Amino acid sequence: MLKALLAFLLYGVLQVVCGFLVALPAFSRTLALTLSLLLSGALAVLLVWRPLGMIRLGRAFRVPCVGLGAALAGLLGGLACVVATNIMSEMADLADNTFEALLAVASTPLGTLSIALAGPLCEELVFREGIQGCMQRSGVSPLVAIAVSSLLFGILHLNPAQSLFATLMGICLGILYCRTGSVWLCSLLHVVNNTGAVIQMRLLGRDALTFSLTDWMGGKAVALSVMLLCLLLSAGLLILFWRKTGNSDG
């Protein structure tokens, strides 16, 4: 548990330190924000991997030994959770204090790659392979390891509009990792989620902040029904994935 908290704090400190790039006159604000995201993620992986010894790069990237049906159940269950939590976050009407920064980053090719690809890979290595995996390997119950890594994952975002979403998504990602011992499936789901967010920002621009899934679906009653159905579908598919896959050593 101590190592898990240390890895979490390390990632958070790196985000703050790298965030000072934004204030450097040598870079435009957009480039500075992009470099900040890339550097904080890469340095977090490096430090959690080497000094802390929590990441096993070779095993983390092994192809998971699960059938196609199980993999699809896990990924579709995660996508259903994405839809449900997006509606849930929108209905909660929580403040979004990072939208402007992410919109600026997503406006460039390098920024798009940092949000859609580099960010998810770094976070999965630190939170799933590093924090969750290290806890499981030290004898902590898989369910406790998933809960702790998911909660820390949500807190790291430091954004009310994202924290609830990230915590719930962390549970789905944690389940995929727990049953495979690999970051392949959870990284794929994470990349798909972030890529969808980037596409929305690129297509809608500033209007993405005011875009309403609830209105698009035809009102609160419909949106609430879709959210509940997606939650049930997600739970059912993830339970199916759990039953179709064996315990991994994390």
Side-chain angles (χ1 to χ4, degrees):
M1 182 67 77
L2 182 60
K3 272 191 171 184
L5 292 175
L6 185 57
F8 163 73
L9 291 173
L10 184 63
Y11 208 146
V13 169
L14 285 171
Q15 283 190 330
V16 172
V17 172
C18 292
F20 283 112
L21 282 171
V22 178
L24 295 179
F27 302 110
S28 68
R29 182 172 180 271
T30 299
L31 179 58
L33 286 167
T34 303
L35 292 176
S36 173
L37 287 174
L38 291 172
L39 278 176
S40 62
L43 288 173
V45 169
L46 181 63
L47 294 177
V48 174
W49 171 36
R50 282 304 189 187
L52 295 182
M54 298 171 68
I55 294 175
R56 310 164 304 167
L57 284 182
R59 291 179 68 85
F61 284 106
R62 68 184 179 183
V63 178
C65 297
V66 298
L68 179 60
L72 286 175
L75 291 173
L76 291 175
L79 289 174
C81 185
V82 167
V83 176
T85 49
N86 267 299
I87 297 173
M88 191 183 303
S89 295
E90 182 179 292
M91 287 185 169
D93 196 25
L94 300 173
D96 190 340
N97 54 31
T98 63
F99 175 79
E100 294 291 345
L102 289 176
L103 182 62
V105 172
S107 66
T108 67
L110 181 60
T112 294
L113 285 175
S114 71
I115 296 175
L117 184 61
L121 288 176
C122 289
E123 290 175 353
E124 291 311 303
L125 282 171
V126 171
F127 284 90
R128 252 55 69 180
E129 167 62 23
I131 293 176
Q132 180 183 328
C134 187
M135 291 179 70
Q136 289 180 207
R137 292 188 292 274
S138 67
V140 175
S141 162
L143 295 181
V144 172
I146 291 172
V148 171
S149 63
S150 301
L151 182 60
L152 294 178
F153 182 58
I155 294 173
L156 183 81
H157 285 75
L158 295 174
N159 181 8
Q162 289 183 322
S163 292
L164 173 62
F165 173 86
T167 299
L168 294 175
M169 276 308 302
I171 294 174
C172 294
L173 297 169
I175 289 172
L176 296 181
Y177 174 82
C178 177
R179 304 300 280 185
T180 62
S182 164
V183 299
W184 271 106
L185 287 181
C186 50
S187 293
L188 179 58
L189 177 59
H190 202 153
V191 167
V192 169
N193 173 72
N194 283 27
T195 299
V198 169
I199 290 174
Q200 182 179 338
M201 286 187 283
R202 292 294 294 266
L203 289 177
L204 299 179
R206 294 187 59 83
D207 289 340
L209 182 61
T210 57
F211 174 75
S212 171
L213 271 173
T214 300
D215 292 341
W216 181 76
M217 289 180 178
K220 286 187 176 181
V222 176
L224 184 60
S225 298
V226 171
M227 183 188 76
L228 292 175
L229 285 173
C230 284
L231 284 175
L232 290 173
L233 179 62
S234 177
L237 288 171
L238 289 173
I239 289 172
L240 179 62
F241 170 79
W242 188 276
R243 289 177 175 173
K244 281 181 170 289
T245 51
N247 257 326
S248 165
D249 62 359

